[in-house]
Amino acid sequence: MNKNFNKKNIVFLLFFFTSLLNAQNIQDVVYLNKRNSNKGFNDFNQFISNFNGSILETNQIPNNFTPSVSISSSAVNNTICSGASVTFTATPTDAVGPIYQWKKNGLDITNETNSTYTTNTLLNNDVISVVMTISGSPTTSNLITTTVNALPVLVGGYVSTNGLVFYADAANSNSYSGSGTAWNDISGNSNNSTLNSTTYNNANGGSLQFNGSSYSQTNTGITTSLQNGYTLIQVLKLNSYNGGMFSYNGGGSKYLNFYMGGSDKMRWETYAGNSINSTTTVPTNNWVIVTGTFSGVNADGNTGTAKIYINGVLDGTGTLASQASVTNTSIRIGEYAGNMDGLIGATLFYNRELSLTEVQDNYNTFSTRYGLAPINNGSFANITTCSNSNFFYHPTSDLPGTVFSWSRAAVAGISNSVATGNDDINEVLLNTTSNPLIVTYIYTLTSNGCLSTKNIAVAVNPTNATTLTSTTGTDAQTICFNNAIANITYTTTSASGISNSGIAGANGLPAGVTATFVSNTLTISGIPTATGTFNYNIPLTGCCGSTSATGTIIVKSLPTLTNFNNISKYYYDASFIINSPTSNSAGAFTFTSDNYAIATISGSTATITGVGNCNITALQTANGNYCSGSLIVSLTISNINVVTINGQITSSNNNYVNKNGELNSKTGINNNGQTKATISPLNIGDSYAGGKIAYIFQNNESGYVAGETHGLIAASSDVLRSNWCGASTFSTTSISTGTAIRTGLANTLAIIARVGNTTTSAAKSCRDYRGGNFSDWYLPSKDELNKLFINKTAIGNFVNNYYWSSSQYNSSSAYIQLFSSGSSTWITKTGSFYVRPVRTF
């Protein structure tokens, strides 16, 4: 053997025979071994030569081998659903030790160098290939283009039913069947309408064509409180700017409308001359979703905020005057100030203001159906419904022809059992708890053989309730004017607010009192600035069920107390009557002294006990519509130094003498022999001799006596209201009477003498009066009656009406005086007027 045949040759030999066992001919063996070792190949050739007696040169091996590669996909018909996993497999031909590089759309896929490639991120029409490299020579496979079908996406369907009054949808078969004149309300309120001269258009799921003279009107009247806020939504496609799209007119200032009126701007009118316009031009021949809202009454109690949204985006806002509720009034669609020319897909009306989030939720419900881009990727911020009210969901997909099915598990606290269905959800869910509960619907969407699921979480709010949490009885309290009420609080279960929050005097509360809502708590507080009985009713908003907080606040007036003046007395004065203040309340008075060393009081009688000052309080008890009230005056007791009967100087000994030596008289003498008054003089308004001193005679007047006090005493109250002459028989009888002071007694006696003592007349009513056990009362003359008017406040208890005098004007008329203004006139004697007796002292 050749000496060069060494261990390396032995290795080649072993490899040769191994290859021979797996090769079809010697050429394959030579080719395989040549690929694996060029170095030492000559030695190998020499070995072959010695083996078969011939020499095989490398260049004598045939060169007709062409390696190739093909790929296949695990996807049937190269079609998958978005997100599905697919595996591509490379199959080489005439290749030994291939190296792979997978490509997508002609670009290398990082780190994908195996004979298979698996992915779940393919997009529609992505092209997959592989490059196989052998000994540095690349070979490209066939191309596979994959069809990737999109998964259907749930993009709309939710319409909030909270506060929804009217909902008509031409694309919903429950609302419109596709033919006929019935366009039904699917809000659950049965406010169905009748179409007039409209036609159906099945594009975009369905809409109704209004031709410039057609309209739809609800079959029954609808009542809503516009002061609590409202929202209107319409899906429109206008052919022109003529006419209006919506009207809800209750007459007077009670209406609202959407209309164009020839303008390219949407006009949101809440009553005549009270409107705002959109800033954006409303397009023609394109679908648009327009929303108008009104906030309800602002804190001023007179205005509210109106807004216009175009395709879910706030477009215009303004402050408009609030308006009253609309009662039993039909809604008309497609008409106001003329009829519209165009299509209406849906109309929704709420009895509350929707928030921006709610406006956009509703927009997303309809946007895809009408070729508009959804907001927030078509997602919903929240979905809520009320216990025992209809929850409606109409699914919409981004792919036409999508098939919908849904399922719902049972939830503790929700009385409904497990449920499944297709297409719409239309259920009444019952929440038996006092807290919101989440019910989850699982929607399965099928399109082009592809499935997707979407969970719809629905918060089911309990039927709202209010519970008084303040002290029992605070919801039926009585307070005095200008005093703060005891705060009234209620907790709620599912309300989001109240009507007219923070507006003083709203919802039946007294002026100065407000109701506010924070975190499910309603608080009523404030200081009333009005009096009366206030039965408040505060509607909760954003809640389930029509619920209000109710109660009563009675605000009593403070009595108006006047004519209670400071009192000055001498120590030697006898006990005296404290005159009650003049008051518009009939409550009884009590009097107290704050210093018994100066004066004590029993009932209304004050007894002097010393010299100095004290305070007298007149307290009037509550009565009828009046609270209690009080006035305080000062009582000053002055001391007088006089001489006693024993010649002593005293200020407290009652045994003093006057200049004539008389004991305890109205005057005394001092140590210089001067006369000093020891008894206080009488004043107008003093209680005295059966009544109140009404007037003190002055010098040169009849009845005046120098150094003495004389005048008129008026009865403390009126006597029987009567006519002047007593009987119609004497209504034209002339009686000689006077008008001056001190002629009233003679007048009274003359009247009674003429008409008879048994006949009821103003004169006889006075003559029969026995105040203070005195029997000399009479009907005042014209001038005497005027003195009573002048001092009416000090005297007290007069009404602002006419009073009779005893002075005749002529045979059929006598003088009367109006105690509100003091004007004097005459009237027929048969009239019935007030009577106040007087006497002289």
Side-chain angles (χ1 to χ4, degrees):
M1 183 177 289
N2 191 303
K3 63 180 180 181
N4 293 322
F5 193 78
N6 52 24
K7 292 180 179 180
K8 183 184 294 185
N9 298 125
I10 295 173
V11 172
F12 280 117
L13 183 61
L14 292 173
F15 184 79
F16 169 79
F17 281 110
T18 301
S19 301
L20 184 64
L21 293 174
N22 293 287
Q24 296 179 354
N25 53 55
I26 191 63
Q27 290 178 338
D28 290 340
V29 175
V30 172
Y31 173 76
L32 291 171
N33 286 284
K34 182 179 180 181
R35 270 190 53 83
N36 287 277
S37 179
N38 288 321
K39 187 178 183 303
F41 199 86
N42 289 331
D43 293 335
F44 181 67
N45 282 338
Q46 183 64 45
F47 169 75
I48 295 299
S49 176
N50 293 336
F51 179 77
N52 60 11
S54 62
I55 299 175
L56 294 175
E57 296 294 335
T58 301
N59 57 10
Q60 290 179 314
I61 299 174
N63 192 22
N64 59 355
F65 296 99
T66 304
S68 63
V69 63
S70 63
I71 62 173
S72 60
S73 170
S74 63
V76 178
N77 298 323
N78 293 330
T79 299
I80 63 171
C81 296
S82 177
S85 180
V86 59
T87 298
F88 296 91
T89 302
T91 302
T93 302
D94 294 338
V96 176
I99 298 173
Y100 298 102
Q101 176 60 58
W102 290 92
K103 292 178 177 288
K104 181 167 67 175
N105 299 326
L107 300 176
D108 289 352
I109 303 173
T110 302
N111 298 325
E112 294 295 340
T113 58
N114 296 321
S115 61
T116 60
Y117 164 55
T118 301
T119 181
N120 60 0
T121 62
L122 291 185
L123 301 178
N124 190 38
N125 293 324
D126 276 349
V127 178
I128 301 298
S129 63
V130 72
V131 174
M132 181 182 72
T133 301
I134 300 175
S135 299
S137 299
T139 301
T140 301
S141 71
N142 58 303
L143 306 178
I144 293 180
T145 300
T146 303
T147 299
V148 180
N149 289 326
L151 298 180
V153 176
L154 195 65
V155 295
Y158 168 59
V159 171
S160 173
T161 57
N162 183 10
L164 186 61
V165 174
F166 176 80
Y167 175 21
D169 186 350
N172 189 309
S173 59
N174 292 315
S175 182
Y176 188 66
S177 65
S179 62
T181 61
W183 197 10
N184 294 324
D185 169 31
I186 52 176
S187 71
N189 296 310
S190 300
N191 292 319
N192 301 327
S193 65
T194 299
L195 297 167
N196 189 309
S197 302
T198 60
T199 56
Y200 180 66
N201 186 320
N202 61 10
N204 300 103
S207 60
L208 290 166
Q209 176 71 57
F210 291 78
N211 59 17
S213 61
S214 51
Y215 62 90
S216 182
Q217 179 173 323
T218 55
N219 303 330
T220 57
I222 301 170
T223 297
T224 57
S225 178
L226 300 183
Q227 286 189 328
N228 293 334
Y230 44 87
T231 298
L232 170 63
I233 302 171
Q234 283 197 297
V235 184
L236 308 164
K237 184 177 182 181
L238 299 177
N239 295 331
S240 71
Y241 295 126
N242 296 323
M245 288 69 79
F246 180 89
S247 63
Y248 182 37
N249 300 343
S253 63
K254 299 179 292 186
Y255 64 86
L256 53 130
N257 314 290
F258 260 176
Y259 72 104
M260 306 301 293
S263 168
D264 60 0
K265 304 295 192 299
M266 176 63 72
R267 184 177 178 89
W268 177 221
E269 183 176 68
T270 58
Y271 66 86
N274 196 30
S275 63
I276 62 172
N277 295 330
S278 66
T279 57
T280 300
T281 296
V282 179
T284 56
N285 302 312
N286 286 289
W287 285 102
V288 62
I289 299 175
V290 184
T291 302
T293 68
F294 188 75
S295 64
V297 182
N298 288 333
D300 61 12
N302 299 310
T303 62
T305 301
K307 297 176 183 177
I308 293 178
Y309 299 83
I310 302 295
N311 290 335
V313 177
L314 181 62
D315 183 77
T317 185
T319 299
L320 303 179
S322 61
Q323 54 184 313
S325 300
V326 171
T327 304
N328 195 28
T329 300
S330 295
I331 285 177
R332 291 172 75 94
I333 302 170
E335 180 187 49
Y336 177 71
N339 300 75
M340 71 168 284
D341 178 16
L343 297 170
I344 295 181
T347 296
L348 301 89
F349 182 68
Y350 291 83
N351 63 4
R352 65 183 182 91
E353 179 190 27
L354 296 188
S355 66
L356 171 62
T357 297
E358 292 174 313
V359 169
Q360 292 181 342
D361 280 352
N362 273 337
Y363 168 79
N364 284 339
T365 294
F366 300 101
S367 59
T368 303
R369 184 198 304 176
Y370 295 97
L372 300 169
I375 295 174
N376 302 324
N377 296 318
S379 63
F380 296 106
N382 54 68
I383 299 178
T384 61
T385 189
C386 293
S387 177
N388 203 32
S389 65
N390 188 69
F391 172 66
F392 180 79
Y393 190 100
H394 181 65
T396 304
S397 171
D398 59 340
L399 300 178
T402 297
V403 176
F404 303 93
S405 62
W406 57 265
S407 63
R408 173 182 55 72
V411 175
I414 300 293
S415 62
N416 306 66
S417 60
V418 63
T420 60
N422 298 314
D423 299 320
D424 295 348
I425 301 171
N426 193 0
E427 287 196 296
V428 175
L429 300 171
L430 296 174
N431 184 345
T432 60
T433 75
S434 59
N435 298 303
L437 296 175
I438 302 298
V439 172
T440 301
Y441 291 88
I442 302 175
Y443 256 109
T444 299
L445 293 76
T446 305
S447 176
N448 295 321
C450 295
L451 302 178
S452 67
T453 59
K454 175 70 174 181
N455 289 357
I456 303 297
V458 182
V460 183
N461 288 320
T463 299
N464 199 50
T466 58
T467 302
L468 181 71
T469 52
S470 53
T471 303
T472 301
T474 51
D475 58 341
Q477 60 181 285
T478 298
I479 61 167
C480 294
F481 175 77
N482 253 353
N483 289 336
I485 69 169
N487 284 4
I488 309 168
T489 58
Y490 298 86
T491 59
T492 67
T493 55
S494 66
S496 62
I498 59 175
S499 295
N500 307 317
S501 181
I503 300 175
N507 299 321
L509 293 169
V513 175
T514 61
T516 56
F517 186 90
V518 178
S519 301
N520 285 325
T521 300
L522 187 162
T523 303
I524 302 172
S525 61
I527 300 176
T529 57
T531 60
T533 299
F534 300 91
N535 296 309
Y536 62 82
N537 186 306
I538 305 170
L540 304 180
T541 61
C543 61
C544 299
S546 178
T547 307
S548 299
T550 60
T552 300
I553 299 174
I554 298 175
V555 184
K556 290 190 173 185
S557 299
L558 294 174
T560 302
L561 303 180
T562 58
N563 192 32
F564 194 54
N565 302 315
N566 292 335
I567 304 171
S568 295
K569 293 289 184 180
Y570 295 146
Y571 174 77
Y572 294 112
D573 280 330
S575 296
F576 59 92
I577 300 297
I578 300 174
N579 295 323
S580 297
T582 301
S583 176
N584 52 356
S585 169
F589 279 98
T590 58
F591 303 93
T592 58
S593 166
D594 68 352
N595 190 344
Y596 292 163
I598 303 301
T600 60
I601 299 175
S602 176
S604 60
T605 301
T607 300
I608 298 170
T609 57
V611 176
N613 294 291
C614 68
N615 291 318
I616 304 295
T617 299
L619 175 64
Q620 187 175 34
T621 60
N623 181 269
N625 294 324
Y626 294 94
C627 289
S628 62
S630 64
L631 275 181
I632 300 176
V633 296
S634 175
L635 171 62
T636 300
I637 306 299
S638 300
N639 60 344
I640 303 295
N641 292 319
V642 289
V643 177
T644 69
I645 193 172
N646 298 319
Q648 298 170 327
I649 303 300
T650 184
S651 61
S652 59
N653 189 335
N654 285 329
N655 291 318
Y656 63 88
V657 294
N658 64 10
K659 62 181 180 179
N660 298 318
E662 297 171 337
L663 290 172
N664 304 122
S665 63
K666 294 181 180 180
T667 60
I669 56 173
N670 64 9
N671 58 345
N672 295 319
Q674 296 171 320
T675 298
K676 294 290 185 179
T678 54
I679 303 300
S680 302
L682 295 173
N683 295 300
I684 293 174
D686 286 349
S687 295
Y688 184 71
K692 296 287 188 70
I693 295 177
Y695 180 67
I696 296 176
F697 297 145
Q698 304 298 307
N699 192 16
N700 297 321
E701 286 185 334
S702 176
Y704 174 77
V705 177
E708 299 180 5
T709 302
H710 299 281
L712 294 174
I713 296 173
S716 299
S717 60
D718 298 331
V719 294
L720 182 66
R721 182 171 176 171
S722 59
N723 59 28
W724 193 84
C725 59
S728 60
T729 305
F730 306 103
S731 61
T732 58
T733 300
S734 180
I735 301 172
S736 178
T737 59
T739 60
I741 290 176
R742 297 203 72 193
T743 61
L745 177 58
N747 294 343
T748 299
L749 296 174
I751 294 168
I752 293 174
R754 183 67 183 88
V755 303
N757 194 43
T758 59
T759 303
T760 300
S761 64
K764 187 175 186 301
S765 295
C766 290
R767 200 61 179 158
D768 290 343
Y769 182 65
R770 291 294 183 267
N773 291 321
F774 292 97
S775 60
D776 55 351
W777 298 94
Y778 61 88
L779 183 64
S781 68
K782 178 177 177 293
D783 291 351
E784 289 171 331
L785 183 63
N786 187 56
K787 297 301 183 183
L788 268 61
F789 168 76
I790 293 172
N791 296 315
K792 69 174 185 176
T793 300
I795 301 167
N797 295 328
F798 287 99
V799 296
N800 292 325
N801 209 317
Y802 285 101
Y803 282 81
W804 279 120
S805 78
S806 60
S807 303
Q808 177 183 279
Y809 172 71
N810 59 28
S811 62
S812 60
S813 302
Y815 286 102
I816 57 174
Q817 188 165 3
L818 181 60
F819 267 54
S820 59
S821 65
S823 62
S824 180
T825 186
W826 59 87
I827 198 167
T828 58
K829 296 176 180 180
T830 55
S832 179
F833 297 104
Y834 288 90
V835 178
R836 179 67 65 95
V838 297
R839 62 182 296 270
T840 60
F841 70 96

